Amino acid sequence: MGMKTTMAKSEVEVNQDGTVRGLSNLAVQMIAFGGSIGTGLFLGAGSTIHRTGPAILFVYLMIGIFFFLMMRAIGEMMYADPQQHTFVSFIGKYVSPQLGYFAAWSYWLELVLAGMAELTALSTYVKYWFPGTSSWMVQIVFLLILTAVNLAMVSSFGKSEILLSGIKILTILVLIIIGFFLVTTNHHNPAGTQASWGNVFAHFELFPHGFHQFINAFPMVFFAFQGMEFVGITTAETKNPRKVLPHAVNQIISRILLFYIGSLLVIMAITPWKTLNPNESPFVQIFKLAGLPAAAQVINLVVIVAACSTLNSAIFSTGRHLYQLAEESSSKSMSFFTQVSKNGIPVASVLFSALIMVLAPIISAFNSLGTAFSFISSVSSDIYILVCILTMSAHYRYRHSVDFKVDGFKMPQYRWANPLTVIFFFAIFVSLLFNQASIFPALGALAWALGFNLLLLYRQKKLKRVDVQGS
């Protein structure tokens, strides 16, 4: 994968493996927005505010800082080797091939399930307007459209993500602007409250519903940031990666914190947080207070866009992960997934990943499968934390390897920042074991990790025995 050639006509860089560097700096940032700003903010923020009140701002800030540190670690490794199609490949390179294999397949599965979850959500949002529509039909239509976008050209995917993420960002900016207006004019709400910055920290308590609820908010917010690491999947198809990557990584975290913390701050300033309904989107509630009767309709459209954006990024990312797995595999059966189209798309791996997501409409057709799917999705999300821990371990090993690039895009203060991030991610996982709702998925994630690696060890020993007997 080392060399690059240039297409004279289009002036687009082509990697030696045939994939194309067609993503701009803006597209890379929007892909990260697409993955990490979604329904967790537009629909789920009411629940997190209800748990901790204004202290939720500290939770978002803290997790945002640690995600930034992880992004700097990923950015440093991708800067040193921008030919990699996924950051997970560094786990196999610097930690161990076995754990790298586990992380790659686990992360691919997590992204596939995330895409399936977005498909399920999309059908729910569409049925808000068209209750008589079949869920499976809605899901297949959206999957076909977004798969077609992914198969067109890398630049087409980038442009679609700029549009989809742009709508989400515009919605948040409108909320913040309206919020500032309501607060500065001391807007009187129908409930008898008044918009004021004093609403945010009036009678402030760090644990208004107890320490347990405060701790439980951390995993919820952690998963809301999930998807930011998509930047570490776009590098191999980004124009001028060593120029774009540092800008993209450094700018993303500040903007995400602005949109998350800025919107939550405004929401709690417009009306006291205790008056918010945790079961309804806080965006809907605030737009209603601002006198927008169609608030629920507007937000329903935005969450459809948000789900499309996340699904779009999931199809892109699953395709690149499977392609990287096939590239690194010695199995002949995996060589099928290394096919690259004339447009520079790893077409076989993208199509296969999208095909697996067809399980979502099948599950929707059988209600009895819904509970099992929810459990598997939760297990997969918990495995994501383990992948994050392994990624940080890979970065630490990279810093002590011969590949370390002294003049690269270095993670700041890695000697303490790296171990501290690992400890924080580990604490997030441990907290899942003390919550009745999350303990079984967390145990399921541990069982998957243990079972996968034991099976891999057994397979390796069996192959060694065959080699010994053969010789």
mmCIF file of all heavy atoms in Angstrom, residues 347 402 417:
data_model
loop_
_atom_site.group_PDB
_atom_site.id
_atom_site.type_symbol
_atom_site.label_atom_id
_atom_site.label_comp_id
_atom_site.label_asym_id
_atom_site.label_seq_id
_atom_site.Cartn_x
_atom_site.Cartn_y
_atom_site.Cartn_z
ATOM 1 N N VAL A 347 -15.813 -2.364 -3.107
ATOM 2 C CA VAL A 347 -17.220 -2.643 -3.406
ATOM 3 C C VAL A 347 -17.735 -3.920 -2.743
ATOM 4 O O VAL A 347 -18.860 -3.942 -2.217
ATOM 5 C CB VAL A 347 -17.439 -2.682 -4.947
ATOM 6 C CG1 VAL A 347 -16.588 -3.752 -5.603
ATOM 7 C CG2 VAL A 347 -18.897 -2.872 -5.287
ATOM 8 N N VAL A 402 9.933 1.238 16.798
ATOM 9 C CA VAL A 402 10.836 1.875 15.816
ATOM 10 C C VAL A 402 10.059 2.737 14.830
ATOM 11 O O VAL A 402 10.641 3.552 14.110
ATOM 12 C CB VAL A 402 11.646 0.804 15.048
ATOM 13 C CG1 VAL A 402 12.596 0.083 15.976
ATOM 14 C CG2 VAL A 402 10.715 -0.195 14.354
ATOM 15 N N ALA A 417 -1.134 10.971 30.019
ATOM 16 C CA ALA A 417 -2.456 11.096 29.388
ATOM 17 C C ALA A 417 -2.953 9.748 28.863
ATOM 18 O O ALA A 417 -4.144 9.437 28.961
ATOM 19 C CB ALA A 417 -2.405 12.117 28.248
#
